[in-house]
Amino acid sequence: MIRRRVTVLGSTGSVGSSTLDLMARAEETGAGAFEVEALTGGANIARLAEQARRWRPKIAVTADETRLEALKNALAGTGVAVAAGEAAVTEAALRPADWIMASIVGSAGLKSAWAAAGTGAVLALANKESLVCCGPALIQRVRAAGGRLIPVDSEHSAIFQVYPAEAPERVAKLVLTASGGPFRQTPAARMASITPEQAVAHPNWSMGAKISVDSATMANKGLEMIEAAYLFDMGPDRIDVVVHPESIIHSLVEYVDGSTLAQMGPPDMRTPIACALAWPDRIEWPAPRLDLPALGRLTFEAPDVHRFPALGLAREALRAGGATPAVFNAANEVAALAFLDRKLGFLNIAAVVAETLERATKSGMTFGSGDACAAALSVDAQARRLAQSIITDLAKAA
């Protein structure tokens, strides 16, 4: 039986909710027993309160300080402590736990993931920004504390499951798969008129709006390439991307002897979450099973870097190193959200990222000395301001 004392950062989101669902199923079948130390959420107080009543954590935290009273009222009489605000979320991440899910989306999750990395717990990481902005320092922090980092992204989980951590010299390269998003075959003439509604309608995965836009531009694959480089200590020229529309093979590891190992499964985020939750064991749950005869065939193609320039921009950022990947991430997030707010055209997302990278490089934007998390947040803030000014200029010129 798997026994864990668990904290879930971002419990009301898709990954956090799926984590708690898997825990409940494991308890129902006798496969696991869990004590919940802390749950943190955002504006969805009803869901956070429902989760807290079910799991009875030591503390429930909302990042939104204006909703503290609502959370207190919802949990009155339960014995669950309540707190609110960014500092309270970070404090929750520092509480004693065996296993911490870091699934707060965006740069908002960086501080709490950094805090959790220093506790010595197993850190299940679903926050891309933590790795992209300060990956080497974060990984070192986890190791220094005696913990273990397990990636939860489906692509990195796939690599993690077939990667020979004890003998990395056996690996020739990593291959990340991409669905190609909803516009893989859209005529170029129609790309400029793509709407937010069209961009968030992913053909295979159920994801949040911003992540769906990243898939549509393939910026997500660029971010994942940066993450893979840090997670598996792999140079940018040893990481490939292949478009695989069926999303059945989640990534591959090519060995020096010519063998290639792939992890396969239906597109369901609960599989990589279950892998991280049970590691180094496996946990049974009613996972969807592969029906290979029904699938018939799996197809692959090279990504169109002209149609999706964000992928090339990410590779350039990875090669440049230093603060450049953090600039790429910040600019992309600002541009993607501006597109969702209808303040920027679809094709201008990558254009804003490219211009931000160019100006940041010319200005010598770099990490300062001292705390790596604070340095990453400083670069993030500078890059966001720069990207926003570029978007404002574009709007004035229109």
Side-chain angles (χ1 to χ4, degrees), residues 5 49 75 91 119 179 214 273 281 313 347:
R5 178 164 54 172
L75 292 178
E91 289 170 8
T119 65
S179 70
D214 285 350
I273 295 169
D281 203 345
L313 291 171
L347 293 181

Side-chain angles (χ1 to χ4, degrees), residues 1-362:
M1 175 186 286
I2 297 166
R3 298 181 183 275
R4 300 277 190 273
R5 178 164 54 172
V6 170
T7 286
V8 182
L9 306 172
S11 66
T12 57
S14 175
V15 171
S17 295
S18 293
T19 300
L20 294 176
D21 177 64
L22 286 166
M23 288 164 52
R25 291 176 184 272
E27 289 199 336
E28 289 169 4
T29 62
F34 302 96
E35 175 187 349
V36 177
E37 181 68 25
L39 297 176
T40 80
N44 193 339
I45 299 301
R47 179 174 292 178
L48 180 58
E50 178 185 3
Q51 292 172 340
R53 287 192 294 269
R54 161 63 177 85
W55 290 100
R56 290 295 196 272
K58 301 291 191 306
I59 189 168
V61 181
T62 171
D64 188 342
E65 293 183 354
T66 67
R67 299 178 187 271
L68 177 59
E69 287 303 314
L71 185 59
K72 282 183 178 178
N73 293 335
L75 292 178
T78 63
V80 176
V82 172
E86 182 183 277
V89 173
T90 302
E91 289 170 8
L94 290 168
R95 295 177 71 94
D98 305 316
W99 190 91
I100 301 173
M101 168 59 79
S103 61
I104 298 174
V105 175
S107 60
L110 180 53
K111 283 187 179 180
S112 57
W114 180 262
T119 65
V122 172
L123 178 61
L125 191 63
N127 174 271
K128 290 180 182 295
E129 288 71 17
S130 301
L131 277 174
V132 172
C133 294
C134 56
L138 182 77
I139 293 167
Q140 179 55 38
R141 181 173 170 84
V142 171
R143 290 173 178 167
R148 179 68 185 262
L149 192 155
I150 301 180
V152 175
D153 269 356
S154 61
E155 295 81 2
H156 303 107
S157 174
I159 294 170
F160 174 80
Q161 293 181 59
V162 297
Y163 185 86
E166 75 290 347
E169 70 278 1
R170 297 174 185 170
V171 175
K173 69 177 181 181
L174 309 178
V175 182
L176 300 171
T177 57
S179 70
F183 309 125
R184 180 173 59 89
Q185 296 178 318
T186 300
R190 290 174 49 195
M191 296 285 280
S193 61
I194 286 168
T195 67
E197 291 77 13
Q198 292 170 325
V200 300
H202 195 281
N204 296 341
W205 296 91
S206 176
M207 305 181 292
K210 191 268 179 181
I211 299 174
S212 296
V213 172
D214 285 350
S215 178
T217 62
M218 289 196 74
N220 70 321
K221 213 51 53 177
L223 292 167
E224 288 166 11
M225 186 165 52
I226 296 168
E227 291 178 85
Y230 293 153
L231 280 167
F232 304 104
D233 194 21
M234 196 71 59
D237 296 324
R238 294 171 62 197
I239 304 174
D240 286 345
V241 173
V242 63
V243 174
H244 169 49
E246 295 83 6
S247 296
I248 297 300
I249 294 177
H250 299 300
S251 278
L252 310 94
V253 175
E254 180 183 305
Y255 284 74
V256 293
D257 63 1
S259 297
T260 298
L261 302 186
Q263 187 268 341
M264 304 172 66
D268 191 316
M269 275 303 298
R270 289 173 295 178
T271 298
I273 295 169
C275 174
L277 180 62
W279 181 88
D281 203 345
R282 294 277 180 172
I283 193 169
E284 185 176 349
W285 65 281
R289 306 297 177 179
L290 277 182
D291 186 342
L292 294 176
L295 284 170
R297 67 179 62 193
L298 303 178
T299 58
F300 307 91
E301 60 190 64
D304 186 338
V305 294
H306 300 291
R307 181 188 293 265
F308 302 109
L311 191 58
L313 291 171
R315 194 180 292 276
E316 290 173 14
L318 179 57
R319 287 195 178 111
T324 312
V327 174
F328 172 87
N329 173 76
N332 175 70
E333 187 168 330
V334 169
L337 293 176
F339 166 71
L340 286 169
D341 288 341
R342 303 180 195 280
K343 296 176 181 177
L344 192 69
F346 182 78
L347 293 181
N348 279 336
I349 296 174
V352 167
V353 174
E355 182 66 17
T356 304
L357 286 168
E358 183 176 346
R359 294 191 192 182
T361 299
K362 287 181 178 178

